[in-house]
């Protein structure tokens, strides 16, 4: 598997240090993020999923721990909106240039506002999708925020 994706190219361009981690992606797993954490031997609180949302009809990105759920009310508030909903998968793929299951906050086709769960700040490192199913990147929360342009926010229910 090639380890070059728009996400890793963006990380390289930002001068961010990261490690590529690969695993066997299982689209039939009940919770793909938890499956990924287990497959790479990381605690779920250090493995983060990238979710595409719409806040008052505008696209946005949130990065949260795989085992946790987001509060749409908190997501809307984080982006200064009134309401939020999940983006339809086809729209998320079109907006990011990545396939669902491989969406990364780095190197998206269209740059959108990005919020990262404030819980990431307490971790020594985090693991986030690297732009392809079965390909993750391990990096510091500060580097992840810098490379994605994310801001910390209270997003979890």
């Amino acid at each position: 598997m090639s380890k070059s994706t728009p996400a890793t190219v963006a990380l390289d361009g930002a001068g961010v240090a990261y490690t590529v981690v690969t695993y066997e992606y299982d689209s039939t797993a009940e919770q793909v993020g938890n499956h990924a954490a287990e497959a790479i031997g990381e605690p779920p609180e250090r493995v983060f999923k990238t979710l595409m949302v719409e806040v008052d009809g505008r696209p946005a990105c949130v990065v949260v721990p795989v085992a946790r759920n987001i509060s749409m009310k908190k997501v809307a508030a984080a982006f200064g909106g009134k309401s939020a909903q999940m983006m339809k998968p086809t729209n998320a793929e079109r907006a990011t240039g990545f396939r669902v299951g491989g969406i990364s906050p780095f190197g998206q086709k269209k740059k959108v506002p990005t919020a990262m769960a404030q819980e990431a700040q307490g971790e020594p490192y985090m693991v986030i999708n690297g732009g392809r199913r079965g390909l993750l990147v391990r990096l510091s929360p500060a580097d992840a925020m810098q490379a994605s342009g994310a801001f910390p926010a209270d997003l979890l229910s």
Side-chain angles (χ1 to χ4, degrees), residues 55-133:
V55 178
D56 295 341
R58 295 183 316 271
C61 177
V62 295
V63 181
V64 297
V66 297
R68 302 288 304 272
N69 294 316
I70 59 174
S71 160
M72 288 301 180
K73 184 179 250 186
K74 289 181 179 181
V75 168
F79 290 100
K82 293 181 182 175
S83 67
Q85 64 184 22
M86 292 299 298
M87 188 180 286
K88 291 180 182 173
T90 54
N91 293 344
E93 289 178 344
R94 192 175 308 113
T96 64
F98 299 117
R99 290 177 61 200
V100 169
I103 293 178
S104 179
F106 316 113
Q108 292 185 1
K109 189 164 65 170
K110 297 177 185 175
K111 185 74 176 143
V112 298
T114 302
M116 186 173 295
Q118 61 192 10
E119 289 74 7
Q121 304 305 302
E123 297 298 331
Y125 63 88
M126 58 193 304
V127 182
I128 306 173
N129 197 289
R132 183 174 296 129
R133 293 174 176 176

